[in-house]
Amino acid sequence: MQRQHFILFDVLPFIGTLIALGALFYRPIGALEISLFFAMWLVTGLGLTVGYHRLFTHRAFTTGTAVSAMLIIMGSMAGRGSMVSWAAMHRRHHELSDHEGDLHSPNLHGGSLLGRLRGFLHAHLTWMIEHDYPNVAHYVPDLMAQPVLVRVNSYYYAWVLVGLLIPTAIGGLVAGSLWGAVAGFLWGGVARMFAVEQAMSAINSVMHTFGARPYRTRGDNSRNLGVMAWLAWGEGWHNNHHAFPYSAAFGLRWFEFDPGYLFIRVLAALGLAWNVKVPSAEKIALRRLHEPAPDVAELEHG
């Protein structure tokens, strides 16, 4: 099943992206394709970072059943696995980060150049082909105890299909042609799925290899890299996240752009999210390695 998932949602989107790029020699990309790509990239990415990651894995805020179900659907459309499986694997990652048993650490293959390259490839791609499957009864009993969410989660493959059909239908209707539907499928569907996969995989590989480490963590090699915050919905502040995994905000300073947290703040302003957790200035100061603690007043009052 893991190999099947890898072929369906990693290999085929890569092939589809090559086809989309090849088609540019015949039909230049236009506003429709670009709009569908970025809209679906944002919707599915927020489903992953806000729903799968911050809400379901770390309980960084609270919301109602309807919003929770919406976030499961948004995240599922990314094709990165079902919410329950994703949360179980990610909780295990935090439990064993960069130590034996971490499913996707790049730092467990030796210190030689070849070992580092093998580790990077493992963390970015090959771990998904075949890996241990964490016991969901052990890692996510709180999620398994919510029958409505488990039910929504059980339609994972249907939601992936919906994520492909939406841009296909919009492309066909807006362009009024079969080519519009094909372009919507290629750019808003498979190419977008490939881009989201690459961004999420980079959190495992790049963000445990390159970047700054401003905070003490539990013996892992998590890093911050600002460019990845833009490419991965705020996930690039990965050292921040490992230092404060319960925090709804990954960006802890005003200049640390975090679209996922901005979305949570919008939900909170609409009364759709509450109990939004962020670390206090005192806790940040205790974790800080070099510089004085940042001013997080805006976070705490947000």
Side-chain angles (χ1 to χ4, degrees):
M1 290 180 66
Q2 290 170 359
R3 287 192 292 271
Q4 181 186 59
H5 190 277
F6 179 76
I7 292 170
L8 286 175
F9 301 133
D10 293 277
V11 176
L12 292 184
F14 171 67
I15 295 172
T17 301
L18 294 180
I19 293 172
L21 292 172
L24 295 179
F25 290 100
Y26 302 95
R27 283 180 178 261
I29 193 170
L32 177 61
E33 292 89 344
I34 294 171
S35 298
L36 287 173
F37 176 89
F38 281 106
M40 293 301 296
W41 170 85
L42 183 61
V43 167
T44 57
L46 289 176
L48 291 172
T49 187
V50 174
Y52 276 34
H53 198 180
R54 308 187 204 207
L55 175 61
F56 298 118
T57 301
H58 295 293
R59 295 303 192 186
F61 65 99
T62 306
T63 189
T65 301
V67 173
S68 295
M70 177 191 71
L71 289 170
I72 291 174
I73 294 170
M74 290 166 59
S76 296
M77 290 192 300
R80 294 293 85 219
S82 73
M83 178 274 290
V84 168
S85 297
W86 199 98
M89 288 187 283
H90 196 71
R91 287 183 183 180
R92 176 168 167 175
H93 166 65
H94 275 266
E95 178 184 58
L96 302 169
S97 185
D98 287 323
H99 292 79
E100 193 66 36
D102 185 351
L103 295 170
H104 45 65
S105 172
N107 299 305
L108 301 176
H109 293 75
S112 66
L113 178 59
L114 180 59
R116 289 185 176 277
L117 290 174
R118 287 178 57 212
F120 191 91
L121 181 62
H122 166 80
H124 196 83
L125 186 67
T126 58
W127 78 275
M128 292 181 284
I129 299 174
E130 186 174 356
H131 57 78
D132 293 340
Y133 187 78
N135 187 334
V136 294
H138 172 73
Y139 282 100
V140 290
D142 53 319
L143 301 178
M144 298 300 293
Q146 301 183 64
V148 174
L149 300 188
V150 171
R151 181 73 171 172
V152 175
N153 179 77
S154 70
Y155 290 103
Y156 165 68
Y157 285 98
W159 303 134
V160 175
L161 182 60
V162 168
L164 296 172
L165 291 177
I166 288 175
T168 302
I170 293 175
L173 289 172
V174 172
S177 67
L178 177 61
W179 174 254
V182 172
F185 173 77
L186 288 175
W187 288 101
V190 291
R192 174 269 308 171
M193 187 179 289
F194 175 72
V196 170
E197 188 274 330
Q198 292 302 301
M200 292 305 296
S201 290
I203 305 304
N204 301 335
S205 56
V206 176
M207 302 314 306
H208 280 260
T209 306
F210 306 105
R213 299 193 70 244
Y215 298 105
R216 287 186 296 272
T217 57
R218 296 175 57 188
D220 61 65
N221 197 41
S222 57
R223 306 276 176 153
N224 284 348
L225 201 59
V227 66
M228 286 304 303
W230 290 82
L231 296 175
W233 321 279
E235 293 276 344
W237 309 116
H238 200 56
N239 178 250
N240 295 4
H241 169 58
H242 271 261
F244 307 100
Y246 60 85
S247 176
F250 291 175
L252 298 177
R253 294 184 285 187
W254 67 267
F255 56 83
E256 294 179 341
F257 182 57
D258 185 356
Y261 182 60
L262 293 177
F263 183 63
I264 293 170
R265 291 187 65 173
V266 170
L267 292 177
L270 295 173
L272 299 174
W274 52 94
N275 297 332
V276 179
K277 302 172 187 175
V278 294
S280 66
E282 292 76 17
K283 288 182 178 179
I284 290 178
L286 288 173
R287 287 278 184 179
R288 193 78 185 175
L289 286 175
H290 304 297
E291 301 174 13
D295 181 3
V296 293
E298 286 191 23
L299 285 175
E300 293 175 326
H301 290 93

